[in-house]
Amino acid sequence: MDKRAWACCRHSLRTLIATPRIWAVLILCVLCIDRYLAPITDMMTAEGARISWAGLAVFLLNDSWVSAMAALGLLILLFDVPRRDEAQKYLLMRAGRRAWARGQLYYVLCAAALYMAALGLILLAWLAPWIDWTSGWSPTIEQFVNGAYEVYDSMIYYDPWILRAYSPLGALALEGALHYILFAALGFAMCLVNAAAGSRAGFLIAAAPVLADTVITEYFPVSATYFSPATLTRLSCLDYGDEMLRPSAGYALFALLLLAAVLGALFVCVYGRKEVHP
């Protein structure tokens, strides 16, 4: 066990929980989810229907704007990584630079996991009166895929191929894993840029691929998706047997894991240099 690094991670998490920024981000998440779910809850109220929580979560994460706003929310939450308050300076001296740097990476990983869990719980709370615990996609999801989204003005993109290629739990597990790895990579990128530049410019660098994803599928060829980290998290941009030469799920997992590993290793190396000050 990397005890010194985990001690630094726990201190950073305690500091984050004590800041009002976490509540501001959660409120924004609630408002965003409420805006996107309003047409869906209107339909379920009007027709007495129920919906699969896992199925809806898949299509929310598959929507480029929802995915982008979720990523930006996490970046706002972690914009000051690596944390360098007075207590962190003492931890850095006691633990050593490399252990402290690893602790910041653990902090990003834990914060991203808690953030995604919070998003899932918010969605569950909003859908609680209409939850359908079926193992399938549920009739309501199928209705929206088949055109009900136009009747109720839902802003979510419902890709019908997702229903044919995946089960709800399988799709959610894959898409959730891809988003989590992306969130970790973006946090590591912020750590690296902030440490190397001695400023908070890392937010702008990390936000760039997230914002690019909102337009890349409309204005760029399919080959561009191979090099867009945020685009690789969305199932509709991956190959599911339609011979469109999109990246495979295996490629997406490997590329995002490699990106996160490289950024994390670079951060530990950069912060281990003596000329980088806390």
Side-chain angles (χ1 to χ4, degrees):
M1 290 294 291
D2 199 350
K3 293 182 179 180
R4 293 181 298 175
W6 279 110
C8 297
C9 170
R10 288 193 296 270
H11 176 79
S12 295
L13 285 173
R14 286 194 295 267
T15 304
L16 175 66
I17 293 172
T19 63
R21 187 168 69 250
I22 190 172
W23 300 110
V25 170
L26 287 177
I27 290 171
L28 290 175
C29 290
V30 168
L31 294 175
C32 177
I33 289 177
D34 179 68
R35 177 68 184 88
Y36 274 86
L37 293 190
I40 299 171
T41 55
D42 287 346
M43 173 190 175
M44 292 186 292
T45 301
E47 301 186 10
R50 292 184 172 273
I51 195 167
S52 165
W53 169 82
L56 184 57
V58 168
F59 284 102
L60 279 172
L61 288 175
N62 187 66
D63 187 90
S64 60
W65 282 105
V66 175
S67 180
M69 285 185 281
L72 290 175
L74 180 66
L75 293 180
I76 293 172
L77 198 64
L78 300 176
F79 85 98
D80 58 349
V81 290
R83 302 190 66 87
R84 287 175 285 191
D85 55 27
E86 290 298 324
Q88 290 284 2
K89 292 180 180 179
Y90 290 113
L91 284 172
L92 190 150
M93 289 187 290
R94 293 191 63 181
R97 286 182 177 274
R98 290 186 179 274
W100 185 86
R102 291 194 300 273
Q104 297 306 296
L105 299 185
Y106 298 161
Y107 164 57
V108 171
L109 292 172
C110 293
L114 292 173
Y115 177 73
M116 292 191 68
L119 291 180
L121 290 174
I122 292 171
L123 178 61
L124 182 62
W126 246 244
L127 294 177
W130 305 281
I131 286 290
D132 183 356
W133 295 109
T134 177
S135 58
W137 286 101
S138 77
T140 302
I141 292 289
E142 294 174 356
Q143 283 181 268
F144 272 99
V145 170
N146 292 327
Y149 68 92
E150 294 180 340
V151 176
Y152 289 91
D153 296 323
S154 177
M155 298 184 294
I156 301 171
Y157 171 54
Y158 298 91
D159 188 342
W161 284 100
I162 292 178
L163 270 67
R164 304 178 190 179
Y166 301 96
S167 67
L169 292 179
L172 183 59
L174 176 58
E175 205 165 36
L178 291 172
H179 274 82
Y180 177 70
I181 299 169
L182 172 70
F183 289 170
L186 296 177
F188 294 171
M190 282 207 303
C191 283
L192 176 60
V193 175
N194 288 346
S199 66
R200 302 304 182 193
F203 177 87
L204 298 176
I205 302 299
V210 174
L211 298 177
D213 174 52
T214 60
V215 298
I216 198 166
T217 55
E218 295 184 22
Y219 301 103
F220 290 83
V222 171
S223 58
T225 63
Y226 283 83
F227 308 100
S228 175
T231 309
L232 289 174
T233 62
R234 298 192 287 115
L235 295 184
S236 61
C237 296
L238 301 181
D239 177 56
Y240 36 73
D242 58 352
E243 300 181 355
M244 292 295 292
L245 302 179
R246 295 186 180 94
S248 66
Y251 173 87
L253 283 168
F254 175 78
L256 291 175
L257 283 170
L258 180 62
L259 178 64
V262 170
L263 291 171
L266 283 175
F267 170 66
V268 173
C269 291
V270 166
Y271 217 89
R273 290 168 15 189
K274 292 184 178 179
E275 62 265 35
V276 179
H277 300 289

PDB file of all heavy atoms in Angstrom, residues 165-202:
ATOM      1  N   ALA A 165     -27.392  -3.381 -30.392  1.00  0.00           N
ATOM      2  CA  ALA A 165     -26.036  -3.876 -30.165  1.00  0.00           C
ATOM      3  C   ALA A 165     -25.743  -4.208 -28.708  1.00  0.00           C
ATOM      4  O   ALA A 165     -24.836  -5.001 -28.426  1.00  0.00           O
ATOM      5  CB  ALA A 165     -25.022  -2.850 -30.666  1.00  0.00           C
ATOM      6  N   TYR A 166     -26.472  -3.610 -27.762  1.00  0.00           N
ATOM      7  CA  TYR A 166     -26.127  -3.763 -26.346  1.00  0.00           C
ATOM      8  C   TYR A 166     -27.368  -4.055 -25.507  1.00  0.00           C
ATOM      9  O   TYR A 166     -28.492  -3.713 -25.876  1.00  0.00           O
ATOM     10  CB  TYR A 166     -25.495  -2.473 -25.796  1.00  0.00           C
ATOM     11  CG  TYR A 166     -24.247  -2.018 -26.502  1.00  0.00           C
ATOM     12  CD1 TYR A 166     -24.309  -1.057 -27.510  1.00  0.00           C
ATOM     13  CD2 TYR A 166     -22.996  -2.522 -26.153  1.00  0.00           C
ATOM     14  CE1 TYR A 166     -23.160  -0.618 -28.154  1.00  0.00           C
ATOM     15  CE2 TYR A 166     -21.848  -2.093 -26.793  1.00  0.00           C
ATOM     16  CZ  TYR A 166     -21.937  -1.146 -27.791  1.00  0.00           C
ATOM     17  OH  TYR A 166     -20.805  -0.701 -28.428  1.00  0.00           O
ATOM     18  N   SER A 167     -27.109  -4.627 -24.338  1.00  0.00           N
ATOM     19  CA  SER A 167     -28.120  -4.671 -23.279  1.00  0.00           C
ATOM     20  C   SER A 167     -27.958  -3.401 -22.448  1.00  0.00           C
ATOM     21  O   SER A 167     -26.893  -2.778 -22.472  1.00  0.00           O
ATOM     22  CB  SER A 167     -27.916  -5.899 -22.394  1.00  0.00           C
ATOM     23  OG  SER A 167     -26.695  -5.779 -21.668  1.00  0.00           O
ATOM     24  N   PRO A 168     -28.977  -2.977 -21.695  1.00  0.00           N
ATOM     25  CA  PRO A 168     -28.852  -1.743 -20.911  1.00  0.00           C
ATOM     26  C   PRO A 168     -27.682  -1.772 -19.926  1.00  0.00           C
ATOM     27  O   PRO A 168     -26.903  -0.811 -19.860  1.00  0.00           O
ATOM     28  CB  PRO A 168     -30.197  -1.648 -20.181  1.00  0.00           C
ATOM     29  CG  PRO A 168     -31.138  -2.437 -20.999  1.00  0.00           C
ATOM     30  CD  PRO A 168     -30.333  -3.549 -21.591  1.00  0.00           C
ATOM     31  N   LEU A 169     -27.541  -2.870 -19.167  1.00  0.00           N
ATOM     32  CA  LEU A 169     -26.471  -2.933 -18.174  1.00  0.00           C
ATOM     33  C   LEU A 169     -25.104  -3.026 -18.836  1.00  0.00           C
ATOM     34  O   LEU A 169     -24.133  -2.428 -18.379  1.00  0.00           O
ATOM     35  CB  LEU A 169     -26.693  -4.118 -17.236  1.00  0.00           C
ATOM     36  CG  LEU A 169     -27.910  -4.008 -16.310  1.00  0.00           C
ATOM     37  CD1 LEU A 169     -28.046  -5.252 -15.440  1.00  0.00           C
ATOM     38  CD2 LEU A 169     -27.807  -2.763 -15.429  1.00  0.00           C
ATOM     39  N   GLY A 170     -25.008  -3.780 -19.932  1.00  0.00           N
ATOM     40  CA  GLY A 170     -23.745  -3.875 -20.645  1.00  0.00           C
ATOM     41  C   GLY A 170     -23.335  -2.540 -21.235  1.00  0.00           C
ATOM     42  O   GLY A 170     -22.163  -2.141 -21.159  1.00  0.00           O
ATOM     43  N   ALA A 171     -24.299  -1.822 -21.817  1.00  0.00           N
ATOM     44  CA  ALA A 171     -24.010  -0.515 -22.400  1.00  0.00           C
ATOM     45  C   ALA A 171     -23.603   0.479 -21.324  1.00  0.00           C
ATOM     46  O   ALA A 171     -22.658   1.259 -21.504  1.00  0.00           O
ATOM     47  CB  ALA A 171     -25.237  -0.001 -23.151  1.00  0.00           C
ATOM     48  N   LEU A 172     -24.313   0.461 -20.179  1.00  0.00           N
ATOM     49  CA  LEU A 172     -23.994   1.392 -19.105  1.00  0.00           C
ATOM     50  C   LEU A 172     -22.623   1.097 -18.513  1.00  0.00           C
ATOM     51  O   LEU A 172     -21.855   2.030 -18.203  1.00  0.00           O
ATOM     52  CB  LEU A 172     -25.067   1.330 -18.017  1.00  0.00           C
ATOM     53  CG  LEU A 172     -24.883   2.308 -16.852  1.00  0.00           C
ATOM     54  CD1 LEU A 172     -24.854   3.746 -17.345  1.00  0.00           C
ATOM     55  CD2 LEU A 172     -25.988   2.124 -15.821  1.00  0.00           C
ATOM     56  N   ALA A 173     -22.279  -0.182 -18.353  1.00  0.00           N
ATOM     57  CA  ALA A 173     -20.978  -0.540 -17.809  1.00  0.00           C
ATOM     58  C   ALA A 173     -19.857  -0.058 -18.727  1.00  0.00           C
ATOM     59  O   ALA A 173     -18.857   0.518 -18.264  1.00  0.00           O
ATOM     60  CB  ALA A 173     -20.888  -2.054 -17.610  1.00  0.00           C
ATOM     61  N   LEU A 174     -20.016  -0.272 -20.033  1.00  0.00           N
ATOM     62  CA  LEU A 174     -18.985   0.148 -20.980  1.00  0.00           C
ATOM     63  C   LEU A 174     -18.886   1.663 -21.051  1.00  0.00           C
ATOM     64  O   LEU A 174     -17.783   2.229 -20.958  1.00  0.00           O
ATOM     65  CB  LEU A 174     -19.305  -0.425 -22.363  1.00  0.00           C
ATOM     66  CG  LEU A 174     -18.374   0.004 -23.504  1.00  0.00           C
ATOM     67  CD1 LEU A 174     -16.933  -0.367 -23.206  1.00  0.00           C
ATOM     68  CD2 LEU A 174     -18.836  -0.605 -24.823  1.00  0.00           C
ATOM     69  N   GLU A 175     -20.016   2.322 -21.191  1.00  0.00           N
ATOM     70  CA  GLU A 175     -19.999   3.776 -21.318  1.00  0.00           C
ATOM     71  C   GLU A 175     -19.546   4.442 -20.020  1.00  0.00           C
ATOM     72  O   GLU A 175     -18.809   5.437 -20.043  1.00  0.00           O
ATOM     73  CB  GLU A 175     -21.387   4.279 -21.713  1.00  0.00           C
ATOM     74  CG  GLU A 175     -21.367   5.604 -22.428  1.00  0.00           C
ATOM     75  CD  GLU A 175     -22.684   5.890 -23.108  1.00  0.00           C
ATOM     76  OE1 GLU A 175     -23.745   5.514 -22.556  1.00  0.00           O
ATOM     77  OE2 GLU A 175     -22.676   6.473 -24.203  1.00  0.00           O
ATOM     78  N   GLY A 176     -19.962   3.886 -18.868  1.00  0.00           N
ATOM     79  CA  GLY A 176     -19.517   4.423 -17.592  1.00  0.00           C
ATOM     80  C   GLY A 176     -18.018   4.273 -17.411  1.00  0.00           C
ATOM     81  O   GLY A 176     -17.338   5.196 -16.937  1.00  0.00           O
ATOM     82  N   ALA A 177     -17.470   3.121 -17.806  1.00  0.00           N
ATOM     83  CA  ALA A 177     -16.027   2.900 -17.697  1.00  0.00           C
ATOM     84  C   ALA A 177     -15.258   3.858 -18.602  1.00  0.00           C
ATOM     85  O   ALA A 177     -14.229   4.433 -18.196  1.00  0.00           O
ATOM     86  CB  ALA A 177     -15.692   1.451 -18.052  1.00  0.00           C
ATOM     87  N   LEU A 178     -15.735   4.048 -19.822  1.00  0.00           N
ATOM     88  CA  LEU A 178     -15.064   4.955 -20.751  1.00  0.00           C
ATOM     89  C   LEU A 178     -15.084   6.392 -20.230  1.00  0.00           C
ATOM     90  O   LEU A 178     -14.080   7.110 -20.311  1.00  0.00           O
ATOM     91  CB  LEU A 178     -15.734   4.889 -22.124  1.00  0.00           C
ATOM     92  CG  LEU A 178     -15.549   3.578 -22.904  1.00  0.00           C
ATOM     93  CD1 LEU A 178     -16.427   3.574 -24.150  1.00  0.00           C
ATOM     94  CD2 LEU A 178     -14.087   3.378 -23.287  1.00  0.00           C
ATOM     95  N   HIS A 179     -16.208   6.822 -19.692  1.00  0.00           N
ATOM     96  CA  HIS A 179     -16.286   8.180 -19.139  1.00  0.00           C
ATOM     97  C   HIS A 179     -15.382   8.323 -17.918  1.00  0.00           C
ATOM     98  O   HIS A 179     -14.734   9.361 -17.741  1.00  0.00           O
ATOM     99  CB  HIS A 179     -17.729   8.521 -18.780  1.00  0.00           C
ATOM    100  CG  HIS A 179     -18.524   9.069 -19.925  1.00  0.00           C
ATOM    101  ND1 HIS A 179     -19.116   8.253 -20.866  1.00  0.00           N
ATOM    102  CD2 HIS A 179     -18.811  10.338 -20.302  1.00  0.00           C
ATOM    103  CE1 HIS A 179     -19.749   8.999 -21.759  1.00  0.00           C
ATOM    104  NE2 HIS A 179     -19.580  10.264 -21.447  1.00  0.00           N
ATOM    105  N   TYR A 180     -15.347   7.301 -17.079  1.00  0.00           N
ATOM    106  CA  TYR A 180     -14.509   7.396 -15.892  1.00  0.00           C
ATOM    107  C   TYR A 180     -13.030   7.519 -16.269  1.00  0.00           C
ATOM    108  O   TYR A 180     -12.299   8.344 -15.702  1.00  0.00           O
ATOM    109  CB  TYR A 180     -14.719   6.168 -15.007  1.00  0.00           C
ATOM    110  CG  TYR A 180     -13.822   6.159 -13.789  1.00  0.00           C
ATOM    111  CD1 TYR A 180     -14.028   7.062 -12.751  1.00  0.00           C
ATOM    112  CD2 TYR A 180     -12.765   5.268 -13.683  1.00  0.00           C
ATOM    113  CE1 TYR A 180     -13.209   7.077 -11.640  1.00  0.00           C
ATOM    114  CE2 TYR A 180     -11.932   5.271 -12.572  1.00  0.00           C
ATOM    115  CZ  TYR A 180     -12.160   6.173 -11.560  1.00  0.00           C
ATOM    116  OH  TYR A 180     -11.336   6.195 -10.463  1.00  0.00           O
ATOM    117  N   ILE A 181     -12.592   6.726 -17.239  1.00  0.00           N
ATOM    118  CA  ILE A 181     -11.194   6.805 -17.670  1.00  0.00           C
ATOM    119  C   ILE A 181     -10.911   8.173 -18.297  1.00  0.00           C
ATOM    120  O   ILE A 181      -9.848   8.770 -18.064  1.00  0.00           O
ATOM    121  CB  ILE A 181     -10.869   5.670 -18.664  1.00  0.00           C
ATOM    122  CG1 ILE A 181     -11.084   4.311 -17.998  1.00  0.00           C
ATOM    123  CG2 ILE A 181      -9.416   5.776 -19.132  1.00  0.00           C
ATOM    124  CD1 ILE A 181     -11.038   3.141 -18.980  1.00  0.00           C
ATOM    125  N   LEU A 182     -11.875   8.686 -19.086  1.00  0.00           N
ATOM    126  CA  LEU A 182     -11.691  10.018 -19.663  1.00  0.00           C
ATOM    127  C   LEU A 182     -11.589  11.074 -18.573  1.00  0.00           C
ATOM    128  O   LEU A 182     -10.712  11.947 -18.620  1.00  0.00           O
ATOM    129  CB  LEU A 182     -12.859  10.357 -20.592  1.00  0.00           C
ATOM    130  CG  LEU A 182     -12.861  11.813 -21.093  1.00  0.00           C
ATOM    131  CD1 LEU A 182     -11.720  12.038 -22.075  1.00  0.00           C
ATOM    132  CD2 LEU A 182     -14.200  12.180 -21.713  1.00  0.00           C
ATOM    133  N   PHE A 183     -12.489  11.025 -17.579  1.00  0.00           N
ATOM    134  CA  PHE A 183     -12.452  11.997 -16.493  1.00  0.00           C
ATOM    135  C   PHE A 183     -11.108  11.948 -15.772  1.00  0.00           C
ATOM    136  O   PHE A 183     -10.543  12.989 -15.412  1.00  0.00           O
ATOM    137  CB  PHE A 183     -13.585  11.729 -15.506  1.00  0.00           C
ATOM    138  CG  PHE A 183     -14.957  12.051 -16.038  1.00  0.00           C
ATOM    139  CD1 PHE A 183     -16.092  11.664 -15.344  1.00  0.00           C
ATOM    140  CD2 PHE A 183     -15.121  12.732 -17.232  1.00  0.00           C
ATOM    141  CE1 PHE A 183     -17.356  11.963 -15.823  1.00  0.00           C
ATOM    142  CE2 PHE A 183     -16.379  13.031 -17.731  1.00  0.00           C
ATOM    143  CZ  PHE A 183     -17.503  12.653 -17.023  1.00  0.00           C
ATOM    144  N   ALA A 184     -10.599  10.739 -15.546  1.00  0.00           N
ATOM    145  CA  ALA A 184      -9.288  10.609 -14.898  1.00  0.00           C
ATOM    146  C   ALA A 184      -8.202  11.231 -15.765  1.00  0.00           C
ATOM    147  O   ALA A 184      -7.335  11.960 -15.264  1.00  0.00           O
ATOM    148  CB  ALA A 184      -8.985   9.138 -14.637  1.00  0.00           C
ATOM    149  N   ALA A 185      -8.246  10.969 -17.064  1.00  0.00           N
ATOM    150  CA  ALA A 185      -7.234  11.521 -17.976  1.00  0.00           C
ATOM    151  C   ALA A 185      -7.294  13.047 -17.996  1.00  0.00           C
ATOM    152  O   ALA A 185      -6.252  13.722 -17.993  1.00  0.00           O
ATOM    153  CB  ALA A 185      -7.431  10.963 -19.381  1.00  0.00           C
ATOM    154  N   LEU A 186      -8.494  13.618 -18.011  1.00  0.00           N
ATOM    155  CA  LEU A 186      -8.627  15.073 -18.000  1.00  0.00           C
ATOM    156  C   LEU A 186      -8.090  15.667 -16.696  1.00  0.00           C
ATOM    157  O   LEU A 186      -7.426  16.716 -16.701  1.00  0.00           O
ATOM    158  CB  LEU A 186     -10.094  15.465 -18.187  1.00  0.00           C
ATOM    159  CG  LEU A 186     -10.740  15.092 -19.523  1.00  0.00           C
ATOM    160  CD1 LEU A 186     -12.209  15.490 -19.532  1.00  0.00           C
ATOM    161  CD2 LEU A 186     -10.005  15.730 -20.687  1.00  0.00           C
ATOM    162  N   GLY A 187      -8.371  14.993 -15.581  1.00  0.00           N
ATOM    163  CA  GLY A 187      -7.828  15.457 -14.300  1.00  0.00           C
ATOM    164  C   GLY A 187      -6.315  15.380 -14.268  1.00  0.00           C
ATOM    165  O   GLY A 187      -5.643  16.295 -13.766  1.00  0.00           O
ATOM    166  N   PHE A 188      -5.755  14.306 -14.813  1.00  0.00           N
ATOM    167  CA  PHE A 188      -4.300  14.166 -14.869  1.00  0.00           C
ATOM    168  C   PHE A 188      -3.695  15.254 -15.759  1.00  0.00           C
ATOM    169  O   PHE A 188      -2.613  15.777 -15.466  1.00  0.00           O
ATOM    170  CB  PHE A 188      -3.911  12.798 -15.404  1.00  0.00           C
ATOM    171  CG  PHE A 188      -4.295  11.644 -14.504  1.00  0.00           C
ATOM    172  CD1 PHE A 188      -4.178  10.337 -14.947  1.00  0.00           C
ATOM    173  CD2 PHE A 188      -4.780  11.860 -13.221  1.00  0.00           C
ATOM    174  CE1 PHE A 188      -4.525   9.276 -14.137  1.00  0.00           C
ATOM    175  CE2 PHE A 188      -5.140  10.806 -12.398  1.00  0.00           C
ATOM    176  CZ  PHE A 188      -5.004   9.504 -12.859  1.00  0.00           C
ATOM    177  N   ALA A 189      -4.391  15.577 -16.858  1.00  0.00           N
ATOM    178  CA  ALA A 189      -3.896  16.631 -17.749  1.00  0.00           C
ATOM    179  C   ALA A 189      -3.860  17.972 -17.026  1.00  0.00           C
ATOM    180  O   ALA A 189      -2.901  18.752 -17.169  1.00  0.00           O
ATOM    181  CB  ALA A 189      -4.783  16.723 -18.994  1.00  0.00           C
ATOM    182  N   MET A 190      -4.885  18.254 -16.226  1.00  0.00           N
ATOM    183  CA  MET A 190      -4.890  19.493 -15.449  1.00  0.00           C
ATOM    184  C   MET A 190      -3.746  19.513 -14.452  1.00  0.00           C
ATOM    185  O   MET A 190      -3.078  20.529 -14.266  1.00  0.00           O
ATOM    186  CB  MET A 190      -6.229  19.685 -14.724  1.00  0.00           C
ATOM    187  CG  MET A 190      -7.333  20.187 -15.606  1.00  0.00           C
ATOM    188  SD  MET A 190      -8.603  21.116 -14.684  1.00  0.00           S
ATOM    189  CE  MET A 190      -9.103  19.910 -13.479  1.00  0.00           C
ATOM    190  N   CYS A 191      -3.519  18.380 -13.789  1.00  0.00           N
ATOM    191  CA  CYS A 191      -2.401  18.293 -12.844  1.00  0.00           C
ATOM    192  C   CYS A 191      -1.087  18.602 -13.544  1.00  0.00           C
ATOM    193  O   CYS A 191      -0.264  19.382 -13.039  1.00  0.00           O
ATOM    194  CB  CYS A 191      -2.337  16.881 -12.246  1.00  0.00           C
ATOM    195  SG  CYS A 191      -3.548  16.525 -10.961  1.00  0.00           S
ATOM    196  N   LEU A 192      -0.880  17.999 -14.698  1.00  0.00           N
ATOM    197  CA  LEU A 192       0.375  18.157 -15.421  1.00  0.00           C
ATOM    198  C   LEU A 192       0.593  19.599 -15.857  1.00  0.00           C
ATOM    199  O   LEU A 192       1.665  20.174 -15.621  1.00  0.00           O
ATOM    200  CB  LEU A 192       0.378  17.226 -16.634  1.00  0.00           C
ATOM    201  CG  LEU A 192       1.576  17.326 -17.577  1.00  0.00           C
ATOM    202  CD1 LEU A 192       2.870  17.005 -16.844  1.00  0.00           C
ATOM    203  CD2 LEU A 192       1.381  16.409 -18.783  1.00  0.00           C
ATOM    204  N   VAL A 193      -0.417  20.200 -16.490  1.00  0.00           N
ATOM    205  CA  VAL A 193      -0.264  21.565 -17.001  1.00  0.00           C
ATOM    206  C   VAL A 193      -0.138  22.561 -15.853  1.00  0.00           C
ATOM    207  O   VAL A 193       0.706  23.464 -15.890  1.00  0.00           O
ATOM    208  CB  VAL A 193      -1.448  21.932 -17.917  1.00  0.00           C
ATOM    209  CG1 VAL A 193      -1.361  23.395 -18.356  1.00  0.00           C
ATOM    210  CG2 VAL A 193      -1.469  21.018 -19.137  1.00  0.00           C
ATOM    211  N   ASN A 194      -0.953  22.412 -14.823  1.00  0.00           N
ATOM    212  CA  ASN A 194      -0.874  23.327 -13.687  1.00  0.00           C
ATOM    213  C   ASN A 194       0.481  23.252 -12.993  1.00  0.00           C
ATOM    214  O   ASN A 194       1.040  24.260 -12.572  1.00  0.00           O
ATOM    215  CB  ASN A 194      -1.983  23.019 -12.676  1.00  0.00           C
ATOM    216  CG  ASN A 194      -3.354  23.430 -13.169  1.00  0.00           C
ATOM    217  OD1 ASN A 194      -3.478  24.173 -14.142  1.00  0.00           O
ATOM    218  ND2 ASN A 194      -4.389  22.948 -12.511  1.00  0.00           N
ATOM    219  N   ALA A 195       1.028  22.036 -12.864  1.00  0.00           N
ATOM    220  CA  ALA A 195       2.321  21.868 -12.210  1.00  0.00           C
ATOM    221  C   ALA A 195       3.443  22.421 -13.070  1.00  0.00           C
ATOM    222  O   ALA A 195       4.354  23.095 -12.576  1.00  0.00           O
ATOM    223  CB  ALA A 195       2.576  20.395 -11.907  1.00  0.00           C
ATOM    224  N   ALA A 196       3.389  22.163 -14.374  1.00  0.00           N
ATOM    225  CA  ALA A 196       4.466  22.603 -15.262  1.00  0.00           C
ATOM    226  C   ALA A 196       4.442  24.113 -15.481  1.00  0.00           C
ATOM    227  O   ALA A 196       5.502  24.750 -15.546  1.00  0.00           O
ATOM    228  CB  ALA A 196       4.354  21.888 -16.608  1.00  0.00           C
ATOM    229  N   ALA A 197       3.226  24.690 -15.582  1.00  0.00           N
ATOM    230  CA  ALA A 197       3.108  26.118 -15.868  1.00  0.00           C
ATOM    231  C   ALA A 197       3.072  26.975 -14.614  1.00  0.00           C
ATOM    232  O   ALA A 197       3.246  28.192 -14.685  1.00  0.00           O
ATOM    233  CB  ALA A 197       1.860  26.376 -16.701  1.00  0.00           C
ATOM    234  N   GLY A 198       2.831  26.348 -13.463  1.00  0.00           N
ATOM    235  CA  GLY A 198       2.721  27.115 -12.228  1.00  0.00           C
ATOM    236  C   GLY A 198       1.511  28.012 -12.193  1.00  0.00           C
ATOM    237  O   GLY A 198       1.506  29.055 -11.545  1.00  0.00           O
ATOM    238  N   SER A 199       0.441  27.631 -12.921  1.00  0.00           N
ATOM    239  CA  SER A 199      -0.788  28.428 -12.976  1.00  0.00           C
ATOM    240  C   SER A 199      -1.975  27.474 -13.056  1.00  0.00           C
ATOM    241  O   SER A 199      -1.828  26.267 -12.872  1.00  0.00           O
ATOM    242  CB  SER A 199      -0.762  29.359 -14.191  1.00  0.00           C
ATOM    243  OG  SER A 199      -0.803  28.600 -15.384  1.00  0.00           O
ATOM    244  N   ARG A 200      -3.164  28.019 -13.332  1.00  0.00           N
ATOM    245  CA  ARG A 200      -4.361  27.206 -13.468  1.00  0.00           C
ATOM    246  C   ARG A 200      -4.798  27.086 -14.919  1.00  0.00           C
ATOM    247  O   ARG A 200      -5.979  26.940 -15.219  1.00  0.00           O
ATOM    248  CB  ARG A 200      -5.492  27.807 -12.619  1.00  0.00           C
ATOM    249  CG  ARG A 200      -5.169  27.937 -11.137  1.00  0.00           C
ATOM    250  CD  ARG A 200      -4.758  26.619 -10.537  1.00  0.00           C
ATOM    251  NE  ARG A 200      -4.484  26.719  -9.115  1.00  0.00           N
ATOM    252  CZ  ARG A 200      -3.876  25.798  -8.395  1.00  0.00           C
ATOM    253  NH1 ARG A 200      -3.441  24.693  -8.981  1.00  0.00           N
ATOM    254  NH2 ARG A 200      -3.669  25.954  -7.104  1.00  0.00           N
ATOM    255  N   ALA A 201      -3.834  27.134 -15.828  1.00  0.00           N
ATOM    256  CA  ALA A 201      -4.150  27.026 -17.254  1.00  0.00           C
ATOM    257  C   ALA A 201      -4.594  25.627 -17.639  1.00  0.00           C
ATOM    258  O   ALA A 201      -5.100  25.411 -18.742  1.00  0.00           O
ATOM    259  CB  ALA A 201      -2.937  27.431 -18.091  1.00  0.00           C
ATOM    260  N   GLY A 202      -4.401  24.664 -16.751  1.00  0.00           N
ATOM    261  CA  GLY A 202      -4.763  23.283 -17.061  1.00  0.00           C
ATOM    262  C   GLY A 202      -6.233  23.110 -17.382  1.00  0.00           C
ATOM    263  O   GLY A 202      -6.599  22.219 -18.160  1.00  0.00           O
TER     264      GLY A 202
END
